[in-house]
Amino acid sequence: MAQHKPKPTENSPAARFGEFFRAEHREIRDALLALLAAFEARNRRRAKTLLGTIGGLCGPHFRYEEEALYPALVEIFGKLYIEHLLLEHDRAIISAFRLMKLAEKKPFEAADARLAVRIVRSVLPHVSDCEGLSIMVEVLPETVVQEIVEARERARKDDLDLVDWATEVRKRPFLLTYQRELRAALRQHSDV
Ligand SMILES: [Fe+2]
Ligand SMILES: [Fe+2]
């Protein structure tokens, strides 16, 4: 069971984890907010660039969360909440495909921009929800935190973007409804 420590000491694995975890969420947050602005301005070129940036940031981040962080938190939250976090990843991956497709659309109408903005907004809460997990990481045993840190290093070394990781490495089956949505999004994406 988790050790109950009120505050991680400086340089402890939990303190280091908290620092890089927050820095990564800040980068993802800023890129998503910039994407929101790009879609609002109907700037497809900027949206496409930002989608590439976001895919690069989220690939390794989602990967170590799913391979090490989320499983380590089951003992605290229970399986149901962890399933919710994984579902949010499913949704974010599908949203990325849908946004890539939308960013290719010509002409890019006001209705497309509104839809894109809605999709970007739908993934934003996961960024802040996920950031909040670090308060729980503080009570995990140091060895477990160290394993999360190592999983992060491996994911960053592989450096697969979100699409490559989600389609080639990620083993989690999408729920049936999402599976259909994902296939449709992938099909649309390859039609572009
Ligand atoms: Fe996260
Ligand atoms: Fe996450």
Side-chain angles (χ1 to χ4, degrees):
M1 194 48 204
Q3 300 161 18
H4 295 282
K5 293 172 288 185
K7 199 166 174 247
T9 53
E10 215 181 313
N11 263 327
S12 65
R16 284 204 306 280
F17 170 87
E19 269 174 42
F20 68 65
F21 203 52
R22 176 157 285 216
E24 288 171 18
H25 287 136
R26 278 204 179 104
E27 276 190 296
I28 293 169
R29 174 201 65 193
D30 291 346
L32 283 169
L33 292 176
L35 182 65
L36 201 65
F39 278 125
E40 273 169 348
R42 286 164 71 177
N43 186 340
R44 288 193 317 121
R45 189 199 287 254
R46 172 121 177 94
K48 279 204 273 187
T49 306
L50 285 162
L51 281 165
T53 306
I54 292 163
L57 293 170
C58 289
H61 182 86
F62 279 29
R63 186 174 181 178
Y64 80 80
E65 285 183 345
E66 291 195 13
E67 290 181 358
L69 173 65
Y70 292 178
L73 291 172
V74 170
E75 68 161 320
I76 294 177
F77 287 111
K79 281 187 188 159
L80 203 63
Y81 183 68
I82 300 305
E83 179 61 23
H84 162 76
L85 294 173
L86 291 167
L87 269 173
E88 292 205 327
H89 278 192
D90 291 351
R91 207 172 290 149
I93 293 162
I94 291 163
S95 297
F97 283 120
R98 293 181 68 197
L99 291 170
M100 283 187 270
K101 168 70 183 162
L102 269 171
E104 297 290 346
K105 204 162 170 267
K106 279 184 252 180
F108 188 73
E109 320 265 12
D112 300 318
R114 279 198 300 274
L115 174 60
V117 164
R118 235 187 4 254
I119 296 171
V120 178
R121 287 214 168 108
S122 74
V123 300
L124 275 175
H126 182 71
V127 183
S128 38
D129 288 356
C130 193
E131 170 60 27
L133 300 177
S134 61
I135 197 83
M136 294 302 176
V137 172
E138 290 181 3
V139 297
L140 291 175
E142 278 205 1
T143 50
V144 174
V145 182
Q146 193 50 41
E147 279 163 21
I148 299 168
V149 171
E150 284 162 19
R152 173 182 181 257
E153 279 161 15
R154 284 194 301 276
R156 285 165 68 88
K157 202 158 147 255
D158 272 3
D159 202 24
L160 294 176
D161 76 12
L162 190 66
V163 172
D164 288 343
W165 166 70
T167 53
E168 288 165 28
V169 177
R170 193 179 190 236
K171 292 199 178 66
R172 174 180 163 80
F174 283 85
L175 286 186
L176 272 180
T177 38
Y178 287 120
Q179 216 152 18
R180 274 194 293 272
E181 251 186 81
L182 177 68
R183 280 210 204 98
L186 275 171
R187 215 171 23 244
Q188 283 177 337
H189 187 56
S190 59
D191 288 349
V192 173

